[in-house]
Amino acid sequence: MTGGDPGRRQPRPWDPRSFTRFWRILLAIVAVGFAVRIAYVVFAKLDEAPAGDQVFYNAAADRLGRHGEFLEPFDPHPPPLVGSDPAADHPPLTIIVLAPVSFLTDDSTDADRFTMAVFGTVTVLVLGLLGREIGGERAGWFAAGIAAVYPNLWVNDGLIMSETLAALAVTLALLSAYRFRRRPAVGTAAALGALCALAALARAELVLLLPLLALPVTVLVPWRRGALAWRPVVAAFGIAALLIGPWVVFNLARFEEPTFLSTNDGIALLGSNCDSVYSGSDIGLTDLTCLGGNPQGDQSVDSKLYRDRAFEYIGDHTGRAVIVAFARVGRTWSVFRPFDMLEYNTGEGRERWVTALGLVAFYPLLALAVYGGVVTYRRRVALWPLLVPVVIVTIASAVTYGQTRFRVPAEPSVVVLGAVGLGALASRPQTRPA
């Protein structure tokens, strides 16, 4: 559904009083969001030992901050060879952001968490701007207000993981996409490409933002005809290549097998395609015990070995793999065995009560988002850019495994559409009985 082009609407004259009022209210909401995130870190996460992928991010940031190297902070090869092999367990953005923090604070996990809380607060601000871009000032306030207190966003800002930066990059990319549609410019196209690249450097699956968001936005929006029509596309993908290229070239040079953004795909595939997660109560999850014995080489060699074994298993269970893929997607979107996440998420440092709050908040917000999508389409505002993160999250879950954490890149779309729906309900005329 493409709807109309918001660029066709006539811009309203700029009113300093309206601008000031919007920003006063928005910044007050952002302050609330910051307080919520700081309170969560102070009262629930202070001095807590990292769990799950947090262990890697914290240790890798410390290694990079102290020695300037992307090496395994703890090598699984026996005998222990700590920091001896190249590492690309995850894309590098989170590690790069946290490395100076780790260096300046002597590897303080609390400092890492407070840093993430700041970035999460910026996401609240940007969601307010995105909501205003799509649905007006009231939708902007509602979007920021929802984001300020929405548990499925602020819980990530108390953890040392990539979701906070991924959500921020996706939100900024969406904002740039809508602003480019409203007023095409080469600079805006370049910003869009840069933000899509940063999102990919936070979470590997978000590289799909480039073909699914940046490409159609820069190609389909009316632009100067003739020789200049290619400039936005070149700007977007040129800057994206400049940002992603060095990491890809670095990986191709240091690993035995071709490696681009991450070596984690083999682990994700094999852990998600084995007997224990193809049936029973754990269907659609992942089981790292399926990886088997000791690694055989560097991370790229191991990843290829795991991929080959995963594809072999899928080939032997093709019919079942389709059913499992639906279960994975259902888990990510909390429509299949959602209460399993209460226990499962504790392995990554998410308390049961936070997961429960997230479930309670998600369902009414999802209903509002569906209504907001209808309203957005009827107003002839392009809906499809907001659906791109939803598609990417769904694809990634179907291919790997189901987990509510994987939904984070799509949460900004849910929040903004929910805000549009809430704004539409609030503005409906009230009828009184005679």
Side-chain angles (χ1 to χ4, degrees):
M1 293 184 292
T2 58
D5 188 346
R8 297 175 183 172
R9 297 179 297 179
Q10 294 298 322
R12 292 177 296 177
W14 181 70
D15 184 349
R17 291 172 298 177
S18 174
F19 177 84
T20 303
R21 178 171 179 266
F22 172 78
W23 276 97
R24 282 202 309 266
I25 296 175
L26 178 60
L27 291 178
I29 296 171
V30 170
V32 172
F34 180 68
V36 169
R37 284 152 176 78
I38 294 299
Y40 177 56
V41 173
V42 169
F43 293 107
K45 313 305 287 184
L46 215 58
D47 297 326
E48 180 183 86
D53 284 347
Q54 294 184 84
V55 177
F56 168 80
Y57 283 114
N58 175 251
D62 181 54
R63 179 73 182 183
L64 180 62
R66 292 179 183 275
H67 304 286
E69 299 172 313
F70 283 98
L71 297 179
E72 288 183 339
F74 25 78
D75 195 328
H77 296 261
L81 301 171
V82 177
S84 62
D85 286 354
D89 302 61
H90 301 284
L93 182 62
T94 305
I95 300 169
I96 292 172
V97 167
L98 292 178
V101 178
S102 181
F103 176 78
L104 293 173
T105 63
D106 194 24
D107 191 26
S108 168
T109 56
D110 291 334
D112 289 345
R113 292 188 174 102
F114 284 122
T115 301
M116 287 301 178
V118 171
F119 281 106
T121 304
V122 176
T123 303
V124 176
L125 173 65
V126 180
L127 276 170
L129 299 178
L130 179 59
R132 182 179 67 166
E133 190 75 22
I134 295 170
E137 290 186 351
R138 179 180 290 184
W141 293 328
F142 283 150
I146 293 170
V149 298
Y150 185 39
N152 291 322
L153 284 180
W154 57 251
V155 64
N156 301 290
D157 305 334
L159 304 177
I160 310 169
M161 297 176 73
S162 63
E163 278 69 31
T164 295
L165 296 178
L168 177 57
V170 168
T171 308
L172 285 167
L174 290 172
L175 180 61
S176 296
Y178 277 98
R179 288 188 170 176
F180 181 84
R181 288 179 60 83
R182 177 165 53 85
R183 184 174 297 177
V186 172
T188 312
L192 173 59
L195 292 164
C196 291
L198 290 175
L201 292 173
R203 290 194 61 84
E205 69 270 19
L206 294 179
V207 72
L208 292 175
L209 286 171
L210 287 167
L212 297 183
L213 180 66
L215 181 62
V217 162
T218 53
V219 169
L220 297 179
V221 171
W223 185 251
R224 298 175 183 177
R225 303 301 178 186
L228 298 179
W230 50 267
R231 290 177 62 187
V233 180
V234 171
F237 282 82
I239 194 68
L242 287 175
L243 289 174
I244 297 178
W247 177 249
V248 173
V249 172
F250 180 50
N251 287 334
L252 290 173
R254 64 193 181 125
F255 286 109
E256 292 186 36
E257 295 290 336
T259 299
F260 302 99
L261 289 174
S262 168
T263 59
N264 198 47
D265 55 329
I267 294 175
L269 285 170
L270 184 55
S272 308
N273 291 279
C274 56
D275 291 340
S276 60
V277 292
Y278 260 50
S279 61
S281 60
D282 289 338
I283 182 173
L285 295 174
T286 189
D287 183 2
L288 296 183
T289 63
C290 296
L291 301 183
N294 293 323
Q296 304 299 310
D298 71 12
Q299 287 187 350
S300 67
V301 174
D302 299 339
S303 184
K304 183 179 184 303
L305 174 66
Y306 296 151
R307 279 198 308 272
D308 292 343
R309 289 167 56 188
F311 290 142
E312 181 180 357
Y313 186 90
I314 294 171
D316 294 338
H317 303 81
T318 305
R320 189 65 185 170
V322 175
I323 298 173
V324 174
F326 279 105
R328 295 165 179 163
V329 173
R331 286 189 181 278
T332 295
W333 289 102
S334 297
V335 294
F336 175 70
R337 299 182 64 95
F339 297 110
D340 287 358
M341 289 294 120
L342 295 174
E343 182 62 32
Y344 190 83
N345 281 346
T346 59
E348 296 179 335
R350 292 170 170 82
E351 296 82 1
R352 289 174 61 94
W353 63 270
V354 177
T355 301
L357 279 179
L359 286 173
V360 170
F362 175 68
Y363 297 115
L365 181 58
L366 182 62
L368 280 173
V370 172
Y371 177 61
V374 174
V375 171
T376 301
Y377 180 75
R378 287 178 176 175
R379 290 175 177 173
R380 300 185 63 78
V381 176
L383 176 61
W384 65 266
L386 288 172
L387 300 181
V388 168
V390 175
V391 172
I392 292 174
V393 164
T394 301
I395 291 173
S397 298
V399 172
T400 55
Y401 63 96
Q403 159 68 298
T404 51
R405 170 168 63 94
F406 293 166
R407 198 174 67 218
V408 170
E411 296 284 13
S413 296
V414 176
V415 167
V416 168
L417 288 175
V420 172
L422 186 60
L425 289 175
S427 63
R428 293 178 63 180
Q430 301 295 318
T431 59
R432 296 182 179 180

